[in-house]
Amino acid sequence: MASSGPTDELAPQDSYLSTAEGHVLEVTDGGLFLDRTVFYARGGGQPGDVGTIAWDGGSVEIIDTVRKDGKPLHIVAEGSVLPDPGTPVEGTIDWDRRYLTMRTHTALHALSGVVYRDYGAKVTGGNMTPGEARMDFELDGISTEFGAEIQRKLNEELIKGYPTEIIVMAREIALQDPDLIRTKVNLIPEFVEEIRVVDIKGLDRQADGGTHVRSTLEVGRIAVVKTESKGKANKRMRIRVEGGN
Ligand SMILES: [Zn+2]
């Protein structure tokens, strides 16, 4: 069994998978590389998955997943006993945490879509944890009242149940798409020839490798919990995902 090679990453293909079988490719730097994995590697503002990797005779807790040498590295706690390269394994993510992250991530798309549609303001930054997130906008000003208005508009949109579609398109096509230009598709490294686009039809469309829920209905309700100025043309909103789905 080869000790290196690519990893078949299942999360971008099917966000709703919580478990998958594979083999150990390599054991290195406090973690494992697999030939096939359900774990999402931290990136694009989305945190890496946690969970367990089990094999015949043992299992190990995965405390984070990051991208290293272009592949997901499943990080383990120091002192963990690890399987040998070639060992068949089954990976299982903490699904509750991932699903909450998917709802949070989809909420950020809806937020950026509403703010651009109604105020023409672009996103300048953002980050998320499972259930909470922040996003920065090129707005001249921000206030608690503005936050409340956004919260109302956002929840009005989410409940309409916009479907989330994943489209893979050639780089040269993506570079001509106005929505993708606005969200800086040109910053994706040139060796990436196929661009994965997340299209929440009518609300938001951008190049993105993360995991999302199938419909904005699954997001639930969003609360805008804080608004603050982070400098000229850089206004921050913090949101929290609330309620069922
Ligand atoms: Zn996304």
Side-chain angles (χ1 to χ4, degrees), residues 226-242:
K226 193 173 183 186
T227 53
E228 55 188 323
S229 176
K230 286 289 174 185
K232 193 176 187 306
N234 197 21
K235 303 295 179 285
R236 177 168 294 178
M237 260 181 273
R238 290 184 182 278
I239 63 167
R240 189 167 56 219
V241 175
E242 300 188 323

Side-chain angles (χ1 to χ4, degrees), residues 59 97 139 210-211:
S59 73
R97 179 179 180 278
L139 287 162
T211 63

Side-chain angles (χ1 to χ4, degrees), residues 182-202:
R182 171 172 65 83
T183 52
K184 302 191 169 65
V185 69
N186 60 308
L187 296 183
I188 293 173
E190 275 186 36
F191 65 80
V192 180
E193 291 168 2
E194 286 197 319
I195 306 281
R196 180 179 186 264
V197 173
V198 174
D199 191 7
I200 305 179
K201 271 208 162 42

Side-chain angles (χ1 to χ4, degrees), residues 212-230:
H212 310 80
V213 288
R214 293 186 186 107
S215 158
T216 59
L217 263 183
E218 289 186 42
V219 173
R221 270 191 67 80
I222 293 302
V224 175
V225 293
K226 193 173 183 186
T227 53
E228 55 188 323
S229 176
K230 286 289 174 185

